[in-house]
Amino acid sequence: MNMELQKSVPVCDSQPTPTVQTYQSGATPRKQRLWITDMCVMENVNKLVITTTSREMFFYDMSTKTYSVQFLLFELEYVPLCMTYWYNKSDPGGRSFLIFGDDSGCLHLFNFLQPNKGLFESPTKKQEGYLKINMKELADHSQKVHHTLCMGGAVHSDWVRKVVYIPETDYILSCSSSSDESMVLQDRVKKKKNYIYKVRKV
């Protein structure tokens, strides 16, 4: 299959390849590259979500020819590594789920209540550029989105490598490199039994 680049999208407005300076006391500052960890498309609302090692989630608007950042969710507690998105294709304006796993072994679920009417609350004061939302203040957007920490804490004892939502059974499937919780199948609403699969490393 032949592939051609159709469009390139900068992750950061200021520089195509974002960097950050890190240093210890008395040491020479050095630049450290930030990496994109995953991306997914929110097809029903024309959004592209990108996560980075800077503990941020960029929400791009895909409804125009030039993709631009519309929302930035920052200061996540840990680095988001993998994502999955689901919406009901027979009711695209109904609730939808954005689920991501991080490098602490946790799974987070964003329940967007009416995504076609907005993912987050509009700012009370006019802001320049895109809307920046601190993860610690996400509760201020509870009319639009609910955040849930799956199983109340770490699901895996290692990085979450993959997460999948199974709408037919309302289960969340995730996997990691851990031998103790290699794969976990959990009920989203916490009413049914959860299953933990162990795979020993050779």
Side-chain angles (χ1 to χ4, degrees):
M1 179 177 65
N2 295 325
M3 299 180 66
E4 294 183 3
L5 177 64
Q6 297 295 319
K7 184 181 294 186
S8 61
V9 181
V11 175
C12 196
D13 288 344
S14 58
Q15 358 180 24
T17 306
T19 60
V20 63
Q21 286 192 336
T22 60
Y23 59 93
Q24 296 178 344
S25 178
T28 303
R30 63 178 183 176
K31 289 186 177 181
Q32 180 181 0
R33 283 188 181 275
L34 302 181
W35 299 95
I36 292 175
T37 56
D38 201 6
M39 59 77 66
C40 71
V41 175
M42 302 174 72
E43 184 180 4
N44 59 324
V45 289
N46 288 316
K47 299 289 186 290
L48 171 69
V49 188
I50 292 176
T51 54
T52 72
T53 53
S54 59
R55 296 185 292 122
E56 295 173 326
M57 300 180 76
F58 293 85
F59 292 77
Y60 284 82
D61 181 15
M62 301 194 306
S63 61
T64 61
K65 290 183 178 180
T66 303
Y67 293 8
S68 58
V69 180
Q70 189 171 16
F71 307 109
L72 169 61
L73 188 61
F74 67 98
E75 284 198 10
L76 279 68
E77 189 172 2
Y78 296 98
V79 176
L81 298 175
C82 55
M83 292 184 290
T84 189
Y85 180 71
W86 173 87
Y87 73 96
N88 189 342
K89 292 187 177 181
S90 62
D91 182 20
R95 67 176 182 174
S96 62
F97 304 140
L98 178 63
I99 307 170
F100 72 91
D102 63 31
D103 64 345
S104 75
C106 291
L107 287 171
H108 303 257
L109 186 147
F110 291 152
N111 183 355
F112 294 104
L113 306 181
Q114 292 181 303
N116 62 329
K117 294 184 179 180
L119 301 180
F120 304 99
E121 294 284 358
S122 300
T124 54
K125 296 181 180 180
K126 188 176 180 180
Q127 295 185 6
E128 292 293 331
Y130 50 82
L131 177 62
K132 301 177 181 68
I133 304 168
N134 191 309
M135 183 65 180
K136 297 175 183 177
E137 299 173 354
L138 191 61
D140 296 341
H141 300 260
S142 60
Q143 297 297 314
K144 299 287 187 179
V145 58
H146 293 166
H147 170 246
T148 302
L149 186 62
C150 299
M151 293 179 69
V155 177
H156 300 273
S157 57
D158 204 339
W159 295 6
V160 181
R161 300 290 187 177
K162 182 74 174 178
V163 59
V164 175
Y165 176 65
I166 308 171
E168 293 80 6
T169 57
D170 208 6
Y171 268 97
I172 300 170
L173 179 65
S174 59
C175 63
S176 76
S177 301
S178 169
S179 298
D180 295 323
E181 315 90 9
S182 306
M183 187 170 69
V184 176
L185 187 63
Q186 60 175 296
D187 178 28
R188 183 186 64 84
V189 295
K190 304 175 183 177
K191 291 184 178 180
K192 294 177 285 187
K193 181 179 178 180
N194 296 330
Y195 298 90
I196 299 176
Y197 301 86
K198 299 182 179 182
V199 179
R200 289 187 178 182
K201 295 181 180 179
V202 179

